[in-house]
Amino acid sequence: MRTLYVTDLDGTFLNSSSRVSSVSAAIVSRLSRQGALITVATARTPATVEPLLEHTVTSLPAIVMTGATLWDRETKTYADSHFIDAATVAEIGRKAEKWGITPFVYTLPHDDIMQVYHHGPLSPHDEKFVAERADLKLKHFNLDASREECFTRRRTILFFAMGSVESINALADDLRATVPCSVSNYVDIFKHDVGIIEIFAPGISKAAAVRKLADDCGAERVVVFGDNLNDLSMMAVADLSVAVGNAFPQVKEAADIVIGRNDEDAVARFMEEDFNRQG
């Protein structure tokens, strides 16, 4: 049976040092060369996905930015990108200000170098986020942007913000009730007092991207791996949903199977066993 394997990165395929272990990289690369259909589905952008998967061969485009676009790792190009319309961009800006949230605004110019805009002071979490990504080749930060530069951009693909769980959840609830967009809000896997919100064009989710990719590659069966709340949508559309042992309780409860932890190469080992069973 032709199976598509899709794994989340942080907390799932990546270990607790936010790296792909040499064992996991070797297993997935070997399976991919043998014809296994393997990819990742992540909230990350290609700017961080590429370095993380540098030593890992995958056979399909990566589902990045929670499904707002795909990244062809071979040609280093975006595909099937979904942008937020101008009126919605402006309204999201107003709602963010209402709840005291200063988001990063991600845009995708035609040269495939992502431009990220931010207006206002950076929180300590924001500063750390930027510092860890400042030297990436596929992303450029514009941290002194005006409000107009942030909220009137064409080809806006994502709003991303961090803040208190209460303020992030309030913004998410407000947007879902009033603005035509897709909203994903969840708790940081390392700091449970920090909320994260991602805002996309309507209809965007890991689930929608997984379903489309499965159709495109002719998969008859889909197996997904996750650990956090933003993985629940793709787990719900999978034929087999797998939670790692370190996953949030809600994710374990929703999964068909719970395997070992992300520090035990559990995802790669499960893929290998399952692929060999399928023959």
Side-chain angles (χ1 to χ4, degrees):
M1 181 178 292
R2 195 167 172 81
T3 299
L4 169 62
Y5 299 96
V6 183
T7 181
D8 171 57
L9 285 179
D10 292 270
T12 305
F13 189 55
L14 304 186
N15 59 26
S16 57
S17 298
S18 295
R19 296 289 183 269
V20 179
S21 77
S22 59
V23 172
S24 288
I27 291 173
V28 168
S29 296
R30 182 171 64 251
L31 292 175
S32 296
R33 293 187 179 107
Q34 291 173 356
L37 301 175
I38 300 175
T39 193
V40 300
T42 177
R44 289 177 176 267
T45 71
T48 55
V49 170
E50 274 301 311
L52 288 169
L53 297 183
E54 181 181 6
H55 302 295
T56 306
V57 176
T58 55
S59 50
L60 295 169
I63 297 169
V64 295
M65 305 180 77
T66 312
T69 188
L70 300 180
W71 175 251
D72 188 315
R73 297 189 60 212
E74 183 174 352
T75 64
K76 301 295 187 288
T77 56
Y78 291 91
D80 198 25
S81 301
H82 301 267
F83 300 104
I84 307 171
D85 70 73
T88 303
V89 167
E91 185 61 18
I92 291 170
R94 286 190 286 270
K95 294 290 186 180
E97 288 182 335
K98 171 184 173 182
W99 295 104
I101 302 296
T102 56
F104 293 95
V105 184
Y106 285 66
T107 67
L108 187 56
H110 294 285
D111 62 2
D112 286 339
I113 302 298
M114 186 163 286
Q115 298 290 327
V116 184
Y117 297 86
H118 188 276
H119 171 64
L122 295 172
S123 72
H125 298 301
D126 292 337
E127 290 177 347
K128 182 174 184 293
F129 179 81
V130 172
E132 291 172 347
R133 293 158 174 80
D135 298 324
L136 295 174
K137 295 179 181 179
L138 297 172
K139 180 189 295 183
H140 179 258
F141 285 95
N142 304 273
L143 300 178
D144 56 353
S146 67
R147 185 192 183 285
E148 289 70 27
E149 285 182 297
C150 285
F151 303 134
T152 60
R153 283 280 159 187
R154 293 182 181 274
R155 294 175 65 86
T156 295
I157 196 167
L158 163 68
F159 285 83
F160 173 88
M162 294 172 285
S164 71
V165 174
E166 293 76 16
S167 60
I168 289 294
N169 288 348
L171 173 58
D173 290 342
D174 193 354
L175 289 171
R176 288 191 181 104
T178 60
V179 180
C181 60
S182 294
V183 180
S184 177
N185 59 302
Y186 50 97
V187 175
D188 188 290
I189 63 172
F190 299 111
K191 297 180 177 64
H192 290 186
D193 61 336
V194 176
I196 296 173
I197 189 167
E198 301 159 359
I199 309 162
F200 305 97
I204 298 303
S205 69
K206 285 185 177 181
V210 167
R211 284 197 300 263
K212 186 176 187 305
L213 190 59
D215 289 342
D216 290 346
C217 69
E220 303 163 279
R221 175 174 174 259
V222 177
V223 179
V224 304
F225 304 83
D227 75 305
N228 208 335
L229 302 183
N230 63 335
D231 299 318
L232 289 174
S233 72
M234 70 173 181
M235 293 174 70
V237 302
D239 296 290
L240 181 67
S241 58
V242 183
V244 287
N246 52 285
F248 278 81
Q250 302 97 308
V251 179
K252 290 181 180 179
E253 184 177 347
D256 297 314
I257 299 174
V258 178
I259 58 174
R261 300 176 63 84
N262 61 328
D263 280 326
E264 300 168 350
D265 301 298
V267 169
R269 295 185 189 281
F270 185 93
M271 285 182 184
E272 185 173 43
E273 293 171 5
D274 189 80
F275 181 74
N276 289 337
R277 272 198 306 270
Q278 298 302 313

